[in-house]
Amino acid sequence: MHNNIYTFSTPSYFTLFNTQLPSLFYHSTHSNAWRLCTTLRTTKSNDTVVVGCGGIAVDFLAVVDSYPNPDDKIRTINLKIQGGGNVGNALTCVARLGLNPRVISKVANDSQGMSILDELQADGVDTSFLVVSEEGTSPFTYIIVDNQTKTRTGIHTPGYPPMIPDDLSESSLLSALHGARIVYFDGRLYETALVVAQEAVRKNIPILIDAEGPREGLDDLLKLADYVVCSTQFPQAWTEASTIPQALVSTLLRLPNIKFVIVTLGKDGCIMLERSVDVPSTEEVDIDSLVESLETRKNGTVSIPTCISSPVTKFIAKGIGTVSGRLHFGKAERIPPSELIDTTGAGDAFIGAVLYAICAKFSPETMLSFSATVAAAKCRDLGARSGLPYRADPRLASFIP
């Protein structure tokens, strides 16, 4: 087996198990990507570099009337094939917002791998540091979208052979990180990710970790993180705390270097615990009680994303400890049922917007409202990338001049 790092620009076709899919699916996806690329070239804002290391894939999205029961035979009511993977999606979001992302990952030299590369390039993602294996298969995911409940179920097949540190030469690693403003990891490819993260630390480049779920090697990455964004289930699973707010306190105590941790809650928004160093003398406040009080201040009549924040406070989580900081409760956009299409990749869109917000030095309140707006835009189209907004989107005008 021989691995190369190189870039492709020639058209390719999606295949599965070496069987060519109907060409109309590929041509639609490919021409859309290049049309989007033309738009992107007119919206690039600056040369801020964001590096992402982790998963990229092809998504096969099948929309059905309702999720099937065992042994059912049902028909799709819509089908879409497009690029996916946490890092691929988040970096596509970053590119459309006007920054310059570079991706470190691996695909095989098959038609799926070439299509992954083509689509990333068309959206302005630098694929120069992607490893292409001459043998094996590229990653792909089957996604069943329930049109009734608007939920999605993913069945992922990892690529083979997996990426290892030896796939990425030292010179390529240094080139990938050159000039980077921030580095993002989704927890996949953990051996390679750890090498990249350690070099980022040496270069004083901030690190954001997407803690979607427990993964091998994730703890080692978290120890190097400056920022953590996690799924609803992760904080309690990782810390064994009895509530999410208590788990956030535990996370800051266990990871003394991180500046903030955000837990996404889907349609219920998100909670962010931001560390503070300079804290006025104040009594300790129970974090569960404060979260409840912030939730009561939500205005149910407002449909746009908003953020409610506490003053700098010393939070206590019973049986865990205390931490000083600010608590922010971000409200998600209330999407009308007629406009809600698919939540696939909403978390990746949120993280892409957080990456942009960190680079743009947004306040926490602006960052959470902006990220919720970007995620909501994505949910109005099928697939993880189709609905990702561009920098010039009128819905972002209040955030991006």
Side-chain angles (χ1 to χ4, degrees):
M1 182 185 71
H2 178 66
N3 293 330
N4 294 307
I5 300 177
Y6 54 112
T7 301
F8 290 86
S9 59
T10 54
S12 53
Y13 292 86
F14 288 106
T15 60
L16 182 61
F17 303 127
N18 297 319
T19 302
Q20 184 170 307
L21 292 165
S23 60
L24 67 94
F25 295 131
Y26 168 76
H27 288 302
S28 172
T29 303
H30 188 76
S31 42
N32 283 343
W34 282 106
R35 185 168 60 252
L36 295 177
C37 184
T38 302
T39 305
L40 183 69
R41 293 191 186 104
T42 67
T43 58
K44 281 287 184 183
S45 62
N46 55 47
D47 294 324
T48 301
V49 173
V50 176
V51 176
C53 176
I56 56 176
V58 172
D59 286 351
F60 297 86
L61 296 123
V63 183
V64 297
D65 283 322
S66 61
Y67 193 83
N69 295 312
D71 286 334
D72 274 358
K73 290 184 178 181
I74 60 174
R75 295 194 178 199
T76 61
I77 58 176
N78 196 1
L79 176 65
K80 178 176 283 188
I81 304 169
Q82 66 176 200
N86 294 36
V87 160
N89 298 336
L91 293 186
T92 298
C93 179
V94 165
R96 294 189 186 184
L97 292 174
L99 304 187
N100 290 276
R102 300 169 183 162
V103 60
I104 298 174
S105 191
K106 185 173 185 176
V107 295
N109 189 12
D110 56 12
S111 55
Q112 286 179 192
M114 300 309 98
S115 297
I116 291 170
L117 289 169
D118 283 346
E119 191 172 348
L120 289 171
Q121 291 168 3
D123 259 307
V125 178
D126 184 348
T127 62
S128 303
F129 308 99
L130 266 173
V131 176
V132 180
S133 172
E134 291 295 343
E135 299 175 354
T137 56
S138 297
F140 60 91
T141 305
Y142 296 124
I143 299 173
I144 302 173
V145 180
D146 186 330
N147 199 44
Q148 196 173 72
T149 61
K150 304 300 181 182
T151 57
R152 84 287 184 269
T153 302
I155 306 169
H156 180 65
T157 300
Y160 184 83
M163 189 172 191
I164 59 175
D166 286 347
D167 286 332
L168 190 67
S169 69
E170 182 179 1
S171 61
S172 292
L173 171 59
L174 295 177
S175 295
L177 294 178
H178 180 70
R181 172 64 180 80
I182 191 168
V183 186
Y184 158 57
F185 301 90
D186 65 5
R188 293 177 171 83
L189 313 177
Y190 74 93
E191 291 179 333
T192 302
L194 186 58
V195 171
V196 177
Q198 289 168 340
E199 186 61 32
V201 170
R202 282 191 284 269
K203 293 182 174 297
N204 295 314
I205 304 171
I207 291 171
L208 185 146
I209 303 293
D210 171 10
E212 187 179 44
R215 298 185 191 279
E216 187 176 6
L218 180 60
D219 283 11
D220 292 330
L221 284 172
L222 287 171
K223 292 173 185 175
L224 303 177
D226 296 271
Y227 314 98
V228 176
V229 180
C230 50
S231 65
T232 306
Q233 298 79 16
F234 180 81
Q236 288 177 266
W238 192 62
T239 64
E240 298 184 347
S242 58
T243 67
I244 287 178
Q246 289 182 21
L248 297 183
V249 171
S250 179
T251 299
L252 286 191
L253 291 173
R254 291 177 62 175
L255 303 173
N257 295 324
I258 66 171
K259 298 176 177 63
F260 67 65
V261 56
I262 300 173
V263 56
T264 56
L265 306 172
K267 62 181 179 59
D268 294 321
C270 67
I271 302 174
M272 171 179 171
L273 184 56
E274 176 192 16
R275 190 191 303 276
S276 295
V277 178
D278 299 323
V279 184
S281 179
T282 181
E283 294 183 3
E284 295 175 349
V285 174
D286 180 75
I287 192 165
D288 285 319
S289 299
L290 183 60
V291 168
E292 289 179 8
S293 68
L294 291 179
E295 287 181 333
T296 62
R297 290 167 54 189
K298 289 191 302 182
N299 187 340
T301 63
V302 177
S303 61
I304 62 173
T306 55
C307 182
I308 304 169
S309 302
S310 76
V312 175
T313 305
K314 184 177 289 185
F315 299 107
I316 182 169
K318 294 175 183 176
I320 296 174
T322 61
V323 67
S324 299
R326 295 181 71 206
L327 192 70
H328 307 273
F329 189 91
K331 180 179 178 292
E333 181 175 340
R334 192 168 68 240
I335 305 174
S338 60
E339 297 179 20
L340 179 59
I341 303 299
D342 176 27
T343 60
T344 300
D348 301 333
F350 184 91
I351 287 177
V354 168
L355 290 167
Y356 179 93
I358 292 171
C359 293
K361 299 182 179 179
F362 284 179
S363 68
E365 293 85 353
T366 301
M367 176 176 69
L368 296 185
S369 297
F370 171 69
S371 301
T373 300
V374 171
K378 187 249 78 69
C379 291
R380 287 176 163 88
D381 209 335
L382 178 61
R385 301 186 188 176
S386 300
L388 290 173
Y390 285 87
R391 179 181 181 83
D393 192 305
R395 292 170 291 190
L396 306 183
S398 62
F399 302 102
I400 303 177

